Amino acid sequence: HVQRHQRAGSSRLRSAAQGFLFQRSSNDYTPDNGGIAKDEHIFDEFDGVSAQAEDFATQATTIEQILDQLLGLFRQYKDTVVQTASEMKKDYEASVAALQQEASSARSNLATTQESLAANKATLLTKQEMLADAQKSLTATTTYRDELTNTCEAETKAYQEMDTLRANEIT
């Protein structure tokens, strides 16, 4: 009688534990076209879950064993979640470090580019000043040449006139 009572209690506990593990409130799910009866696949997501009542029936016979198994499952899931979170944190930290390195490199490249730009601007200003000086020199040289050409033409004309006068005096 006691064993039958324990089995009935174990059965109820298994059902309660299973319900506790997989309980969903009616607010979590709303089917597309009507009531829950119309959705045949509502529980498909639980197909691979290993914490089924049959598993407990073959592995445990007392409430304490069932609770120990539940505790073991919870710890296993907790360890998996903690390990996954730890790995994700490491991945995140590695990504952050890589991005910080990339940003630092980009800042360094920007600084180098800005220095090159400043040097190029200084060179451009120097070259522009040299061009302006060369244009002034060209203008002055062209003006001098034009004046010299005019002077030479005037002197040539004057010489030819004098030469013609002397040639006429001699004859």
Coordinates of all heavy atoms in Angstrom, one line a residue, residues 33-89:
N33 N -5.3 31.4 -36.6 CA -6.7 31.3 -37.1 C -7.6 30.6 -36.1 O -8.1 29.6 -36.3 CB -6.8 30.6 -38.4 CG -6.0 31.4 -39.5 OD1 -6.0 32.6 -39.5 ND2 -5.4 30.6 -40.4
G34 N -7.7 31.1 -34.9 CA -8.7 30.5 -34.0 C -8.0 29.9 -32.7 O -7.0 30.4 -32.3
G35 N -8.6 28.9 -32.2 CA -8.2 28.3 -30.9 C -7.0 27.4 -31.0 O -6.5 27.1 -32.1
I36 N -6.6 27.0 -29.8 CA -5.4 26.1 -29.7 C -5.7 24.8 -30.5 O -4.7 24.2 -31.0 CB -5.1 25.9 -28.3 CG1 -4.4 27.1 -27.7 CG2 -4.2 24.6 -28.1 CD1 -3.9 27.0 -26.3
A37 N -6.9 24.3 -30.5 CA -7.2 23.0 -31.2 C -6.8 23.1 -32.7 O -6.5 22.1 -33.3 CB -8.6 22.7 -31.0
K38 N -6.9 24.2 -33.3 CA -6.6 24.4 -34.7 C -5.1 24.3 -35.0 O -4.7 24.2 -36.2 CB -7.2 25.6 -35.3 CG -8.7 25.6 -35.3 CD -9.2 26.8 -35.9 CE -10.7 26.7 -36.0 NZ -11.3 27.8 -36.7
D39 N -4.2 24.5 -34.0 CA -2.8 24.5 -34.3 C -2.2 23.1 -33.9 O -2.0 22.8 -32.7 CB -2.1 25.6 -33.4 CG -0.7 25.8 -33.9 OD1 -0.2 25.0 -34.7 OD2 -0.1 26.8 -33.4
E40 N -1.9 22.3 -34.9 CA -1.4 21.0 -34.6 C 0.1 20.9 -34.2 O 0.5 19.9 -33.7 CB -1.6 20.1 -35.9 CG -3.0 20.0 -36.3 CD -3.1 19.2 -37.7 OE1 -2.1 18.7 -38.1 OE2 -4.2 19.2 -38.2
H41 N 0.8 22.0 -34.4 CA 2.2 22.0 -34.2 C 2.7 22.8 -33.0 O 3.8 23.2 -32.9 CB 2.9 22.4 -35.5 CG 2.6 21.6 -36.6 ND1 3.0 20.3 -36.8 CD2 1.8 21.9 -37.7 CE1 2.6 19.9 -38.0 NE2 1.8 20.8 -38.5
I42 N 1.8 23.1 -32.1 CA 2.1 24.0 -31.0 C 3.2 23.4 -30.1 O 4.0 24.2 -29.6 CB 0.8 24.3 -30.2 CG1 1.1 25.4 -29.1 CG2 0.3 23.1 -29.5 CD1 -0.1 25.9 -28.5
F43 N 3.3 22.1 -30.0 CA 4.3 21.5 -29.1 C 5.5 20.9 -29.8 O 6.3 20.2 -29.2 CB 3.7 20.5 -28.1 CG 2.7 21.1 -27.2 CD1 1.3 20.9 -27.4 CD2 3.1 21.9 -26.2 CE1 0.4 21.5 -26.5 CE2 2.1 22.5 -25.3 CZ 0.8 22.3 -25.5
D44 N 5.6 21.2 -31.1 CA 6.7 20.6 -31.9 C 8.1 21.0 -31.3 O 9.1 20.3 -31.4 CB 6.6 21.1 -33.3 CG 5.5 20.3 -34.1 OD1 5.0 19.4 -33.5 OD2 5.3 20.7 -35.2
E45 N 8.2 22.2 -30.7 CA 9.5 22.7 -30.2 C 10.0 21.8 -29.1 O 11.2 21.9 -28.7 CB 9.4 24.1 -29.8 CG 8.4 24.4 -28.6 CD 8.3 25.8 -28.3 OE1 9.1 26.4 -27.6 OE2 7.3 26.4 -28.8
F46 N 9.2 21.0 -28.5 CA 9.6 20.2 -27.4 C 10.0 18.7 -27.8 O 10.2 17.9 -26.9 CB 8.5 20.1 -26.3 CG 8.1 21.4 -25.7 CD1 6.8 22.0 -26.0 CD2 9.0 22.1 -25.0 CE1 6.5 23.2 -25.5 CE2 8.6 23.4 -24.5 CZ 7.4 23.9 -24.7
D47 N 10.0 18.5 -29.1 CA 10.3 17.1 -29.6 C 11.7 16.6 -29.1 O 11.8 15.5 -28.7 CB 10.3 17.1 -31.1 CG 8.9 17.1 -31.6 OD1 7.9 16.9 -30.8 OD2 8.7 17.3 -32.8
G48 N 12.7 17.5 -29.0 CA 14.0 17.0 -28.6 C 14.3 17.1 -27.2 O 15.4 16.8 -26.7
V49 N 13.4 17.5 -26.4 CA 13.6 17.7 -24.9 C 13.7 16.3 -24.2 O 12.9 15.4 -24.4 CB 12.5 18.5 -24.3 CG1 12.7 18.6 -22.8 CG2 12.4 19.9 -24.9
S50 N 14.8 16.2 -23.4 CA 15.0 14.9 -22.8 C 14.4 14.7 -21.5 O 14.4 13.6 -21.0 CB 16.6 14.7 -22.7 OG 17.0 15.6 -21.8
A51 N 13.8 15.7 -20.9 CA 13.2 15.6 -19.6 C 11.8 15.1 -19.6 O 10.9 15.8 -19.2 CB 13.4 16.9 -18.8
Q52 N 11.6 14.0 -20.2 CA 10.2 13.4 -20.4 C 9.9 12.5 -19.2 O 10.8 12.0 -18.5 CB 10.1 12.6 -21.7 CG 10.4 13.4 -22.9 CD 9.4 14.5 -23.2 OE1 8.2 14.3 -22.9 NE2 9.8 15.6 -23.6
A53 N 8.6 12.3 -18.9 CA 8.2 11.5 -17.8 C 8.8 10.0 -17.9 O 9.1 9.4 -16.9 CB 6.7 11.4 -17.7
E54 N 8.9 9.5 -19.1 CA 9.4 8.1 -19.3 C 10.8 8.0 -18.8 O 11.2 7.0 -18.3 CB 9.3 7.7 -20.8 CG 7.9 7.6 -21.4 CD 7.4 9.0 -21.8 OE1 8.2 9.9 -22.3 OE2 6.2 9.2 -21.7
D55 N 11.6 9.1 -19.1 CA 13.0 9.1 -18.6 C 13.0 9.0 -17.1 O 13.9 8.2 -16.5 CB 13.7 10.4 -19.0 CG 13.9 10.4 -20.5 OD1 13.8 9.3 -21.2 OD2 14.1 11.5 -21.1
F56 N 12.2 9.7 -16.4 CA 12.2 9.6 -14.9 C 11.7 8.3 -14.4 O 12.1 7.8 -13.4 CB 11.3 10.7 -14.3 CG 11.9 12.1 -14.5 CD1 11.4 13.0 -15.4 CD2 13.0 12.4 -13.8 CE1 12.0 14.3 -15.5 CE2 13.6 13.7 -13.9 CZ 13.1 14.6 -14.8
A57 N 10.7 7.7 -15.1 CA 10.1 6.4 -14.7 C 11.2 5.3 -14.7 O 11.2 4.5 -13.8 CB 9.0 6.0 -15.6
T58 N 12.1 5.3 -15.6 CA 13.1 4.2 -15.7 C 14.3 4.5 -14.8 O 15.0 3.6 -14.4 CB 13.6 4.0 -17.1 OG1 14.1 5.2 -17.6 CG2 12.4 3.5 -18.0
Q59 N 14.5 5.8 -14.5 CA 15.7 6.2 -13.8 C 15.5 6.4 -12.3 O 16.4 6.3 -11.5 CB 16.3 7.5 -14.4 CG 16.8 7.3 -15.8 CD 17.2 8.6 -16.5 OE1 17.2 9.6 -15.8 NE2 17.5 8.6 -17.7
A60 N 14.3 6.7 -11.9 CA 14.1 7.1 -10.5 C 12.8 6.5 -10.0 O 11.8 6.3 -10.8 CB 14.0 8.6 -10.4
T61 N 12.8 6.1 -8.8 CA 11.6 5.5 -8.2 C 11.1 6.3 -7.0 O 10.0 6.0 -6.5 CB 11.9 4.0 -7.8 OG1 13.0 4.0 -6.8 CG2 12.2 3.2 -9.0
T62 N 11.9 7.2 -6.4 CA 11.4 7.9 -5.3 C 11.4 9.4 -5.6 O 12.0 9.9 -6.5 CB 12.4 7.7 -4.1 OG1 13.6 8.3 -4.4 CG2 12.5 6.2 -3.7
I63 N 10.8 10.1 -4.8 CA 10.7 11.6 -4.9 C 12.0 12.2 -4.8 O 12.4 13.1 -5.6 CB 9.7 12.2 -3.9 CG1 8.3 11.7 -4.2 CG2 9.7 13.7 -3.9 CD1 7.3 12.1 -3.1
E64 N 12.8 11.7 -3.9 CA 14.2 12.3 -3.7 C 15.0 12.1 -5.0 O 15.7 13.0 -5.4 CB 14.8 11.6 -2.5 CG 14.3 12.1 -1.2 CD 14.9 11.4 0.0 OE1 16.0 10.7 -0.2 OE2 14.4 11.5 1.1
Q65 N 14.9 10.9 -5.6 CA 15.7 10.6 -6.8 C 15.2 11.5 -7.9 O 16.0 12.0 -8.7 CB 15.5 9.2 -7.2 CG 16.3 8.2 -6.2 CD 16.0 6.8 -6.6 OE1 15.0 6.4 -7.1 NE2 17.0 5.9 -6.2
I66 N 13.9 11.7 -8.0 CA 13.3 12.6 -9.1 C 13.8 14.0 -8.9 O 14.3 14.7 -9.8 CB 11.8 12.5 -9.1 CG1 11.4 11.2 -9.6 CG2 11.2 13.6 -10.0 CD1 9.9 10.9 -9.4
L67 N 13.8 14.5 -7.6 CA 14.3 15.8 -7.3 C 15.8 15.9 -7.6 O 16.2 17.0 -8.1 CB 13.9 16.2 -5.9 CG 12.4 16.4 -5.6 CD1 12.2 16.7 -4.1 CD2 11.9 17.6 -6.5
D68 N 16.5 14.9 -7.2 CA 17.9 14.9 -7.5 C 18.2 15.0 -9.0 O 19.1 15.7 -9.5 CB 18.6 13.6 -7.0 CG 18.8 13.7 -5.4 OD1 18.7 14.8 -4.9 OD2 19.0 12.6 -4.8
Q69 N 17.4 14.2 -9.8 CA 17.6 14.3 -11.2 C 17.2 15.7 -11.8 O 17.9 16.2 -12.7 CB 16.7 13.2 -11.9 CG 17.3 11.8 -11.8 CD 16.4 10.8 -12.5 OE1 15.3 11.1 -12.9 NE2 16.9 9.6 -12.6
L70 N 16.1 16.2 -11.3 CA 15.7 17.6 -11.7 C 16.8 18.6 -11.4 O 17.2 19.4 -12.2 CB 14.4 18.0 -11.0 CG 13.2 17.5 -11.6 CD1 12.0 17.9 -10.8 CD2 13.0 18.0 -13.0
L71 N 17.4 18.4 -10.1 CA 18.5 19.3 -9.7 C 19.7 19.1 -10.7 O 20.3 20.1 -11.1 CB 18.9 19.0 -8.3 CG 20.0 19.9 -7.7 CD1 19.6 21.3 -7.7 CD2 20.4 19.4 -6.3
G72 N 20.0 17.9 -11.0 CA 21.1 17.6 -11.9 C 20.8 18.2 -13.3 O 21.7 18.8 -13.9
L73 N 19.6 18.1 -13.8 CA 19.2 18.7 -15.1 C 19.4 20.3 -15.0 O 19.9 20.9 -15.9 CB 17.8 18.4 -15.5 CG 17.6 17.0 -16.1 CD1 16.1 16.7 -16.3 CD2 18.3 17.0 -17.4
F74 N 18.8 20.8 -13.9 CA 18.9 22.3 -13.8 C 20.4 22.7 -13.7 O 20.8 23.7 -14.4 CB 18.2 22.8 -12.5 CG 16.7 22.8 -12.7 CD1 15.9 22.2 -11.7 CD2 16.1 23.3 -13.8 CE1 14.5 22.2 -11.8 CE2 14.7 23.3 -13.9 CZ 13.9 22.7 -12.9
R75 N 21.2 22.0 -13.0 CA 22.6 22.4 -12.9 C 23.3 22.2 -14.3 O 24.1 23.0 -14.7 CB 23.3 21.5 -11.9 CG 23.0 21.9 -10.5 CD 23.7 21.1 -9.4 NE 23.4 21.6 -8.1 CZ 23.5 20.9 -7.0 NH1 24.0 19.7 -7.0 NH2 23.2 21.5 -5.8
Q76 N 22.9 21.1 -15.0 CA 23.5 20.9 -16.3 C 23.2 22.0 -17.2 O 24.0 22.6 -17.9 CB 23.0 19.6 -16.9 CG 23.6 19.2 -18.2 CD 23.0 17.9 -18.8 OE1 22.2 17.3 -18.1 NE2 23.4 17.6 -20.0
Y77 N 21.9 22.4 -17.3 CA 21.4 23.5 -18.1 C 22.1 24.8 -17.7 O 22.5 25.6 -18.5 CB 19.9 23.6 -18.1 CG 19.2 22.5 -18.8 CD1 18.1 21.9 -18.3 CD2 19.7 22.0 -20.1 CE1 17.4 20.9 -19.0 CE2 19.1 21.0 -20.7 CZ 17.9 20.4 -20.2 OH 17.3 19.4 -20.9
K78 N 22.2 25.0 -16.4 CA 22.8 26.2 -15.9 C 24.3 26.3 -16.3 O 24.8 27.3 -16.8 CB 22.7 26.3 -14.3 CG 23.4 27.6 -13.8 CD 23.6 27.4 -12.3 CE 24.9 26.6 -12.1 NZ 25.6 26.7 -10.9
D79 N 25.0 25.2 -16.2 CA 26.4 25.1 -16.6 C 26.5 25.4 -18.1 O 27.5 26.1 -18.5 CB 27.0 23.7 -16.2 CG 27.2 23.5 -14.7 OD1 27.1 24.5 -14.0 OD2 27.3 22.3 -14.3
T80 N 25.6 24.8 -18.9 CA 25.7 25.1 -20.3 C 25.4 26.5 -20.6 O 26.2 27.1 -21.4 CB 24.6 24.2 -21.0 OG1 24.8 22.8 -20.7 CG2 24.6 24.4 -22.5
V81 N 24.5 27.1 -19.9 CA 24.2 28.5 -20.1 C 25.4 29.4 -19.7 O 25.8 30.3 -20.4 CB 22.9 28.9 -19.4 CG1 22.7 30.4 -19.4 CG2 21.7 28.3 -20.1
V82 N 25.9 29.1 -18.5 CA 27.1 29.8 -18.0 C 28.3 29.7 -19.0 O 28.9 30.7 -19.3 CB 27.4 29.4 -16.6 CG1 28.8 29.9 -16.2 CG2 26.3 29.8 -15.6
Q83 N 28.5 28.5 -19.4 CA 29.6 28.3 -20.4 C 29.4 29.0 -21.7 O 30.3 29.7 -22.2 CB 29.8 26.8 -20.6 CG 31.0 26.5 -21.6 CD 31.2 25.0 -21.8 OE1 30.4 24.2 -21.3 NE2 32.1 24.7 -22.6
T84 N 28.2 29.0 -22.2 CA 27.9 29.7 -23.4 C 28.0 31.2 -23.2 O 28.6 31.9 -24.1 CB 26.4 29.3 -23.9 OG1 26.3 27.9 -24.1 CG2 26.1 30.0 -25.2
A85 N 27.5 31.7 -22.1 CA 27.6 33.1 -21.8 C 29.1 33.5 -21.7 O 29.5 34.6 -22.2 CB 26.9 33.4 -20.5
S86 N 29.9 32.7 -21.1 CA 31.3 32.9 -20.9 C 32.0 33.0 -22.3 O 32.8 33.9 -22.5 CB 32.0 31.9 -20.0 OG 33.4 32.1 -20.0
E87 N 31.7 32.0 -23.1 CA 32.3 32.0 -24.5 C 31.8 33.2 -25.3 O 32.6 33.8 -26.0 CB 31.9 30.7 -25.2 CG 32.5 29.5 -24.6 CD 32.0 28.2 -25.2 OE1 31.0 28.2 -26.0 OE2 32.4 27.1 -24.8
M88 N 30.6 33.6 -25.1 CA 30.0 34.8 -25.8 C 30.7 36.0 -25.3 O 31.0 36.9 -26.1 CB 28.5 34.9 -25.7 CG 27.8 33.8 -26.4 SD 26.0 33.8 -26.2 CE 25.5 35.3 -27.0
K89 N 31.0 36.1 -24.0 CA 31.6 37.2 -23.4 C 33.1 37.3 -24.0 O 33.5 38.4 -24.3 CB 31.7 37.1 -21.9 CG 32.3 38.3 -21.2 CD 32.3 38.2 -19.7 CE 33.0 39.4 -19.1 NZ 33.0 39.3 -17.6

